[in-house]
Amino acid sequence: MNESQALSILEKALKAADADDVVATLDGGTSAATRLADNRITQNLEATRATLVVTCAYGQSHGTATTEDLSDDAIQAAVKTAQAIAKSMPPDPEHMPPVEPAETAKYTKVNGYFEPTARFSPEARAKQLAAAAKTVSAKGYRLSGAYASGDGFTALANSAGLKAYHRSTRGEIHLTALGANGSGWAEKIGDNTDEIDVGAVAGEALRIAQLAQNPADPEAGKYTLIMPPAAVAEMVAFFLWMGFDAKAADEDRNFLRGKQGQKIAPETITVRSNPAEPGCLGRPFQDDGLASQTIKWLDKGVLKNLVYSRYWAKKQGKKATGWPANVIMDGGTTSIDQMIASTERGLLVTHFWYIRTVDPMRPLITGMTRDGLLRIENGKIADPVKQMRFNENPLDMLGRIEAMGPPGRTGEYMPMLMPALKVRDFNFTSTTKF
């Protein structure tokens, strides 16, 4: 849906409302994916959708309604429902008025829409996956996974007069190569499908799977661990979610309470956001219309900023930041091969899963390794070992980094550019039988 069409629908919602404040957003696009299992394409999926969200407020009381029916009657019904909910709700002391139109002047220009990606066909995805599966199958392995592509948009309008629209595209592939007794995994994510080489992703998954066959029983303990960008992203994402909410920090509910402005990590650590970062584009505005910030969260190890909502920023006399549109961790120049060569005893992980918070105040998280855990001895990959569970403090981990690689695009939950890391004394607490 183009800008004119989207804003026209939002204007209908604004006109239908008699509430004090109204914020309407329309989010949608086309999502397509081709799935592969055991070297065979099993599904092609495509869905085009748009969801209207209307929030109405009377004073501090507000209500929200959503609909995917964009007819005039359905829009009016959604507004009526939002208003009825708002009238029935008690005042919310944290409710904020709509963002003023002047905020749009702060929006970063982001060109995240690539026409070939929006039009990328199921035949093109299938052709590339079939070729990759043929290569992997010839080696006696089974390839599974999915190749997704599509476009999306977000439009926003409010009763203060703000209007915003952004569209983007995305390509994403995740492949798992399975052998008789071990697996390997690889991914590639980009704003443009031209950045995705399916054969290279499949080749990397196969390479790891070949190394991961017949894993031995490891011993739990502390290891030097080499993590590719996908594994680093999981640790950094939980680090941000657990610690960077300013309200929680000010209320002594997370591990960064009282630490803003202090050095909490080595000078090599800088974590930042920039919606226009090449290769890792983000949306230029937040769900409420606030501009997405180009900002440093950690600057050379110093905690420079926390995430301030508009409500908490006003209460504390701070600048509202909103949540990151993307997360970039500056890296170094050491390749994973160089990290391996410099390691006397350690492990190389492929990625993590099932990460959960154990203690948000220390902080402490737990999770599992997946799809290839390889033992390193005397600068070389020695043999595969079975998967292990870790309990680790992501803040302490930043202080144990020995080498950093160039950042690579990843991020299951948000756009992220993360370097590979070599970390000493990574804490594995238990082993598995697989």
Side-chain angles (χ1 to χ4, degrees), residues 239-431:
F239 173 64
L240 291 170
W241 289 334
M242 293 167 63
F244 277 73
D245 181 80
K247 184 170 185 283
D250 291 342
E251 294 175 345
D252 282 347
R253 292 188 285 112
N254 70 30
F255 64 94
L256 291 180
R257 57 193 183 281
K259 294 184 178 178
Q260 190 165 355
Q262 297 182 17
K263 191 170 184 178
I264 63 171
E267 289 192 3
T268 52
I269 305 302
T270 293
V271 179
R272 57 189 175 85
S273 294
N274 175 11
E277 183 77 14
C280 188
L281 301 174
R283 200 174 69 183
F285 55 86
Q286 308 271 300
D287 290 344
D288 60 358
L290 186 72
S292 296
Q293 303 291 301
T294 296
I295 190 172
K296 289 184 177 178
W297 308 104
L298 279 173
D299 185 15
K300 297 181 179 178
V302 176
L303 180 60
K304 299 293 287 187
N305 290 288
L306 294 173
V307 174
Y308 282 87
S309 67
R310 288 194 296 136
Y311 163 73
W312 198 247
K314 182 179 180 181
K315 184 177 178 65
Q316 300 295 84
K318 301 282 188 177
K319 178 184 176 182
T321 65
W323 280 92
N326 55 10
V327 179
I328 302 121
M329 183 174 177
D330 291 347
T333 59
T334 308
S335 68
I336 289 180
D337 286 344
Q338 290 171 322
M339 294 179 191
I340 293 171
S342 65
T343 301
E344 182 176 349
R345 175 182 177 271
L347 294 170
L348 170 63
V349 68
T350 302
H351 63 151
F352 296 130
W353 68 329
Y354 276 133
I355 296 180
R356 298 290 184 271
T357 300
V358 176
D359 183 348
M361 302 303 288
R362 294 174 59 181
L364 186 66
I365 59 178
T366 187
M368 298 285 296
T369 63
R370 187 177 190 185
D371 295 321
L373 183 61
L374 305 175
R375 189 167 59 88
I376 301 167
E377 277 194 1
N378 300 320
K380 296 181 179 178
I381 292 175
D383 54 17
V385 295
K386 294 178 180 176
Q387 308 301 327
M388 288 202 282
R389 171 171 292 281
F390 68 83
N391 276 18
E392 184 56 271
N393 180 325
L395 178 58
D396 283 352
M397 185 196 79
L398 295 178
R400 288 183 265 116
I401 293 174
E402 295 186 339
M404 305 173 74
R409 174 68 185 269
T410 185
E412 180 177 358
Y413 317 107
M414 66 185 103
M416 301 180 82
L417 273 180
M418 292 287 123
L421 297 179
K422 177 181 174 181
V423 178
R424 68 177 178 276
D425 294 335
F426 195 91
N427 188 34
F428 286 103
T429 52
S430 60
T431 61

Side-chain angles (χ1 to χ4, degrees), residues 6-266:
L7 292 179
S8 175
I9 291 170
L10 297 180
E11 189 63 28
K12 292 178 181 177
L14 296 181
K15 286 183 176 178
D18 62 9
D20 297 340
D21 300 326
V22 185
V23 178
T25 61
L26 189 61
D27 181 82
T30 297
S31 300
T34 302
R35 289 180 172 173
L36 179 80
D38 290 345
N39 298 326
R40 294 184 179 181
I41 293 172
T42 57
Q43 283 182 309
N44 181 69
L45 310 168
E46 182 169 316
T48 298
R49 48 163 287 277
T51 302
L52 173 67
V53 181
V54 182
T55 298
C56 296
Y58 295 93
Q60 293 297 109
S61 299
H62 57 90
T64 297
T66 67
T67 180
E68 294 192 353
D69 183 345
L70 302 181
S71 66
D72 290 354
D73 288 347
I75 292 170
Q76 292 177 12
V79 171
K80 187 176 180 181
T81 299
Q83 292 184 154
I85 294 171
K87 290 176 180 177
S88 69
M89 296 299 291
D92 176 2
E94 297 191 12
H95 176 69
M96 295 294 290
V99 174
E100 294 293 327
E103 184 72 10
T104 59
K106 303 175 185 175
Y107 291 177
T108 302
K109 186 176 182 180
V110 179
N111 180 16
Y113 186 87
F114 300 90
E115 190 70 32
T117 300
R119 305 298 171 216
F120 202 58
S121 69
E123 291 82 4
R125 291 192 301 272
K127 182 178 180 181
Q128 294 181 31
L129 284 174
K134 185 177 181 180
T135 300
V136 172
S137 176
K139 300 292 183 182
Y141 286 76
R142 295 172 287 142
L143 190 66
S144 299
Y147 188 2
S149 61
D151 63 344
F153 70 91
T154 299
L156 186 151
N158 65 35
S159 53
L162 182 146
K163 295 180 181 178
Y165 176 86
H166 176 68
R167 65 176 182 170
S168 61
T169 54
R170 181 179 171 94
E172 183 171 349
I173 185 167
H174 304 268
L175 293 175
T176 302
L178 291 160
N181 193 16
S183 61
W185 174 90
E187 67 166 4
K188 181 66 178 178
I189 301 171
D191 302 302
N192 189 343
T193 49
D194 287 349
E195 303 169 14
I196 296 175
D197 183 339
V198 176
V201 177
E204 177 64 6
L206 174 62
R207 184 187 71 83
I208 296 171
Q210 290 171 323
L211 291 170
Q213 295 303 302
N214 304 313
D217 291 316
E219 293 183 2
K222 293 185 177 181
Y223 289 84
T224 292
L225 182 67
I226 297 171
M227 297 184 283
V232 175
E234 296 280 351
M235 302 297 289
V236 172
F238 272 80
F239 173 64
L240 291 170
W241 289 334
M242 293 167 63
F244 277 73
D245 181 80
K247 184 170 185 283
D250 291 342
E251 294 175 345
D252 282 347
R253 292 188 285 112
N254 70 30
F255 64 94
L256 291 180
R257 57 193 183 281
K259 294 184 178 178
Q260 190 165 355
Q262 297 182 17
K263 191 170 184 178
I264 63 171

